Amino acid sequence: MSISLIVLAAGKGTRMKSDLPKVLHRIAHAPMLWHAMRSGAALSPERCVVVAGHGADQVEASAKDFDPQAQIVLQTEQLGTGHAVAQARPALDGFEGDAIVLYGDTPFISEETLQAMRDARAHHDVVILGFEAADPARYGRLVTQGDDLLRIVEFKDASEDERAITLCNSGVVAADAKTLFELIDAVGNDNASGEYYLTDIVGIARDKGLSATVVRCDEAETLGVNSRVDLAAAEAAFQARERHALLENGVTMPAPETVHLAWDTVIGRDTEIEQNVVFGPGVTVESGAQIRAFSHLEGAHVSRDAVVGPYARLRPGAELAEGVKIGNFVEIKKAVLDEGVKVNHLSYIGDAVVGARTNIGAGAVTCNYDGVFKHQTTIGKEAFIGSDTMLVAPVTLGDGAMTASGSTITKDVPAGAMALARADQIVKPGFATKLFKMLKARKAKQQGK
Ligand code: UD1
Ligand code: CA
């Protein structure tokens, strides 16, 4: 059975108090919208339609960043969730199969849950995702009879008895796309909000002799974001869940609560992540690596048995091969470090390629930027870069080359050569003693002694 997604993302999100559309606020470095689209993507949908309204241009750009095939439809006036879904109809023209409605501000629906809804569709025309709410508050209530869902009542329209129901509507719907649009055609707006409620399709379906049922999920999955307080809670929930998953998958973290993960962080088993490590987007760490305390990584790939930190920074394009060692106060950006390279102290390596087993001494810097252009540094294998070497790019050093400490390297160094680019040392015997004596006398005179 083919699936298409309809992701509702037109709402303003007034309570966010933000110029940014609500669904573009980030959880674990990804817009909420991406989390929702990622859940749905697990079903390999044939089409993905995002209904945008407030900040539609920004929402469109973001949706296409995640999925270039995504179609964006505009809901110029927010007349309700039913009206929002109706806007997707032209985008699903000619599509045969099920439509699944997701909310852009409900980021944590799991793949298993969506799969369960798809399975339930084998026996029912309309499947609604529900949950037992600890505090049902203003959620829509699900009126059931055995396995059958009779209708959904919005809180505002519910009687006292209906408000006592704790089984609530998450908003996620699965139905045959054609049936869904036909049902929506029959939805009116004669209710407490004057809105076209998507939820009315259940009662309408029953009246037409179609069947409806509820698939239940954990309340944590249906967590919706309406304010920055909710956003922080969603972040915390995401972090807790993903840390737990990493621990379960064989990653060691002595203080997991201090490790910050991104939405797409991938970490292999038998890797150790020490305290206070931050992962930005796009990081993969392979098995057996060690990420030591207070390191910050983004857009980086760390291979097996590499050691990073403490206090290291890996920026986008940092590519560390097996057994690489990056030490304290070292920054690596857009640089490929081959097997066994060591950069242990106080260095900046950017726009560079470094060959296997090369050792880079303390305080070495690739001077990659001339104020306008970025330039490349290439170092061969088994080279030795002395401490405080400035490598003024573009520059190339061959295999086994060596630079003397304190050198400013502006010309290529051939394989096996030693480059020494610093002023010759002058030694003046006894001069230090004389100088100190003179300075101390001057100080004594100033202090009137
Ligand atoms: C909706 C459900 C309610 C459910 C709750 C779960 C309806 C009528 N009610 O209520 O049963 O318990 O979600 O959170 O569906 N949106 C649009 N265009 C619109 C209106 C909404 O795109 O015209 C989007 C919003 O941006 C949001 C989602 O749809 O992402 C839900 O809308 P919202 O107004 O928050 O619905 P609720 O009143 O919370
Ligand atoms: Ca809501």
Side-chain angles (χ1 to χ4, degrees), residues 4-335:
S4 282
L5 304 176
I6 301 173
V7 184
L8 304 191
K12 186 169 182 193
T14 311
R15 285 163 58 200
M16 295 301 283
K17 304 202 172 136
S18 177
D19 296 332
L20 191 68
K22 175 161 81 172
V23 296
L24 299 190
H25 283 264
R26 289 167 183 267
I27 297 168
H29 294 281
M32 268 186 257
L33 178 63
W34 289 16
H35 289 266
M37 290 173 79
R38 179 166 68 168
S39 305
L43 298 175
S44 314
E46 190 178 306
R47 301 186 200 178
C48 174
V49 185
V50 176
V51 182
H54 287 277
D57 290 348
Q58 283 166 281
V59 170
E60 171 162 18
S62 179
K64 292 208 155 143
D65 270 351
F66 182 84
D67 173 6
Q69 312 298 322
Q71 301 180 68
I72 314 301
V73 298
L74 206 61
Q75 187 195 26
T76 40
E77 260 187 303
Q78 276 69 65
L79 302 179
T81 48
H83 180 258
V85 171
Q87 308 313 304
R89 188 197 300 245
L92 292 186
D93 189 36
F95 168 74
E96 305 269 344
D98 269 14
I100 294 196
V101 179
L102 298 170
Y103 290 177
D105 61 357
T106 306
F108 298 146
I109 307 290
S110 73
E111 182 183 340
E112 293 73 26
T113 293
L114 294 180
Q115 206 60 57
M117 291 184 73
R118 174 192 242 181
D119 294 346
R121 268 280 298 125
H123 310 287
H124 296 276
D125 297 302
V126 176
V127 178
I128 298 286
L129 182 63
F131 62 103
E132 280 295 338
D135 171 16
R138 304 184 66 80
Y139 286 117
R141 305 299 206 263
L142 302 184
V143 183
T144 53
Q145 192 173 61
D147 278 348
D148 287 335
L149 176 62
L150 303 183
R151 57 203 170 86
I152 305 177
V153 199
E154 287 306 298
F155 174 82
K156 280 189 188 171
D157 305 289
S159 66
E160 278 305 309
D161 282 356
E162 288 164 338
R163 285 182 181 183
I165 297 172
T166 53
L167 183 62
C168 292
N169 175 30
S170 71
V172 183
V173 178
D176 170 74
K178 285 207 178 68
T179 308
L180 177 69
F181 292 123
E182 276 165 28
L183 293 171
I184 284 174
D185 280 341
V187 169
N189 65 349
D190 181 17
N191 53 50
S193 308
E195 286 183 7
Y196 294 89
Y197 291 160
L198 173 61
T199 46
D200 281 355
I201 63 165
V202 173
I204 295 167
R206 303 273 319 178
D207 290 346
K208 292 191 172 196
L210 301 177
S211 73
T213 195
V214 186
V215 163
R216 290 159 207 245
C217 71
D218 195 278
E219 187 168 6
E221 287 186 41
T222 68
L223 185 139
V225 174
N226 293 307
S227 67
R228 308 252 186 177
V229 173
D230 293 346
L231 186 68
E235 179 77 44
F238 178 90
Q239 295 295 334
R241 188 186 76 202
E242 292 304 306
R243 288 169 190 142
H244 187 82
L246 286 180
L247 293 166
E248 291 284 7
N249 288 333
V251 174
T252 296
M253 289 189 281
E257 66 286 358
T258 68
V259 174
H260 186 94
L261 303 164
W263 70 295
D264 59 351
T265 305
V266 177
I267 301 180
R269 59 188 273 171
D270 286 323
T271 282
E272 182 176 3
I273 314 290
E274 289 187 355
Q275 291 81 348
N276 296 293
V277 172
V278 175
F279 291 94
V283 177
T284 303
V285 180
E286 289 182 15
S287 294
Q290 198 184 3
I291 311 296
R292 305 202 53 202
F294 297 99
S295 293
H296 190 287
L297 297 80
E298 70 186 301
H301 175 227
V302 178
S303 300
R304 296 178 79 88
D305 304 323
V307 180
V308 174
Y311 299 99
R313 179 163 186 214
L314 301 186
R315 291 175 50 207
E319 173 73 44
L320 315 189
E322 277 184 38
V324 165
K325 289 201 163 58
I326 301 300
N328 42 264
F329 308 109
V330 170
E331 175 180 340
I332 309 285
K333 185 219 76 169
K334 209 173 175 189

